[in-house]
Amino acid sequence: MVLMSGVQPASVIRQSCTKRSGEYEKSYGRRPALAVVLVGDNPSSRSYVRTKRRACEQVGIDHRDFFLDSSISQEALLELVAGLNADDSVDGILVQLPLPPGIDERLVIDSIDPAKDVDGFTPVNMGNLLIGNPCLAPCTPAGILEMIDYYSIRTEGKSICIIGRSNIVGKPLAAMLMQRNRNATVTVCHSQTPDLRRHTLNADIIISAVGHPSLVDADMVSPGAVVIDVGITRVEDPAAEKGFRWVGDCDFDALSLKCSAITPVPGGVGPMTIAMLMSNTVKAAFARRAE
Ligand code: NAP
C-alpha cells in the first residue's frame, strides 16, 4: 500500500515556484504579488490566510492581506476588488470564502479579473477548464492531479468515482479528469445519489470531497482501489493535545488494509492545494507580462 503524502510533491512544486519567482524578480524588478481579501473573523479562514502567507514567504511571493470588517458593504468590497484588478503591481487576487451573509459570493468572485483569478473560480477560467483551454485551474483539483502524477497513478481507461459536486472541487475535478489527456471515465456522486456504494465499488479511483467523517468505509471500496480523501473535518478529541483533531471522509485504518494507495488527512491533499496556489500566482504573474 502506498501512502500518498502531499508533503513531498508539494515541496517539489514549491521549489519550482521559488525558482520561477526568482526569475520573475530578475526580469521585472519585483516579486510576483498575491492579494488576499478576508472579510470577517472566521477562525478557520484566518488560519487558512496565515498558511497562505507563510507559503508565499517561503517561495518569494509578495503577500498583501486585506482584513475587512464583516460589516463591509457589497459595494465597498466590489470596489476593493476593482482596485486590485486595476493595480498593475498585483498579479493574483484571492477572496477567502465563505463571505458573510448579505454579500453575494458569486458577484464578488465574478468581479475578479480572470487573469488574476488564482483560485480559478471565475466563469472564464471554469469555462476554459471545461473546454480544455489553458487557464488558471482551481487549486485543489489541480493539486490532486499533480499528486496522481507524482505517485505515477494512471487515469487512462480508469473508472473514477468523485463524491461531491461543489464548484471548487467535484465539478472542476470531473472536468479535468474527463479531458483527452486524462481519459478517465468519471462518475460524480452527491447527497442525492442513491446507493453510493454501488458507484464506489465500481471505481478504480475514489476521490471523496464531502466533509463527512467515516462516509467511505471498507465495504465501499474494491481491493486495490486508489483512495484520495479531500474531506477535512475538525472533530473534538479530549485525548488530543489541542482537544481536537482533523479527519477526512474515509475510514483510513480500514481502507489502508484494502486499497493500493491512499492519502492521509491531514498531510494529503491539503499541502497540494496551497502549493498550487503558489504555482497559479507565479503562472499569472508571467502570463500577465506576456499579454
Ligand atoms: P461542499 O461545497 O459542502 O460540497 C460537499 C459535497 O458533498 C456536495 O456536493 C454534497 O452534495 C456532497 N454530499 C454531502 N453529503 C453527502 C453524502 N452523504 N453522500 C454523498 N455526497 C454528499 O464542500 P467542498 O467545499 O467541496 O469541500 C468538501 C470537503 O473537502 C470539506 O471537508 C472541505 O473542508 C474539504 N476541502 C479540502 C480542501 C483541501 O485542500 N484539503 C480543499 C477544499 C475542500 P449536494 O451537492 O447534493 O449538496
Side-chain angles (χ1 to χ4, degrees), residues 157-267:
K158 298 288 168 65
S159 292
I160 301 187
C161 178
I162 298 173
I163 317 176
R165 57 175 164 186
S166 71
N167 288 335
I168 66 169
V169 189
K171 278 187 205 164
L173 184 58
M176 290 160 104
L177 286 166
M178 72 171 80
Q179 299 296 328
R180 288 188 187 278
N181 63 340
R182 294 282 167 182
N183 285 323
T185 302
V186 184
T187 303
V188 181
C189 299
H190 44 77
S191 69
Q192 305 307 304
T193 302
D195 197 0
L196 182 59
R197 183 168 176 266
R198 181 165 70 86
H199 298 285
T200 56
L201 271 180
N202 220 10
D204 303 301
I205 302 173
I206 298 166
I207 306 174
S208 185
V210 174
H212 284 194
S214 306
L215 177 75
V216 181
D217 63 29
D219 288 345
M220 295 170 71
V221 176
S222 289
V226 171
V227 175
I228 297 174
D229 195 347
V230 186
I232 178 148
T233 306
R234 184 178 146 149
V235 294
E236 302 312 309
D237 180 359
E241 198 183 314
K242 291 180 176 167
F244 66 86
R245 61 197 163 87
W246 296 101
V247 297
D249 293 346
C250 303
D251 183 349
F252 180 87
D253 292 341
L255 261 63
S256 54
L257 300 174
K258 207 169 176 187
C259 53
S260 59
I262 186 166
T263 60
V265 176

Side-chain angles (χ1 to χ4, degrees), residues 38-46 68 70:
L38 174 64
V39 184
D41 53 7
N42 179 321
S44 300
S45 295
R46 276 198 176 265
L68 309 171
S70 58

Side-chain angles (χ1 to χ4, degrees), residues 43-63:
S44 300
S45 295
R46 276 198 176 265
S47 148
Y48 292 143
V49 169
R50 272 197 304 275
T51 305
K52 286 164 189 174
R53 185 193 308 135
R54 268 200 304 275
C56 284
E57 286 163 0
Q58 279 174 358
V59 304
I61 290 174
D62 272 344
H63 187 276

Side-chain angles (χ1 to χ4, degrees), residues 129-151:
L129 182 90
L130 186 60
I131 293 166
N133 285 345
C135 64
L136 290 167
C139 301
T140 301
I144 291 169
L145 293 195
E146 289 285 340
M147 192 176 221
I148 282 175
D149 291 341
Y150 182 86
Y151 288 101

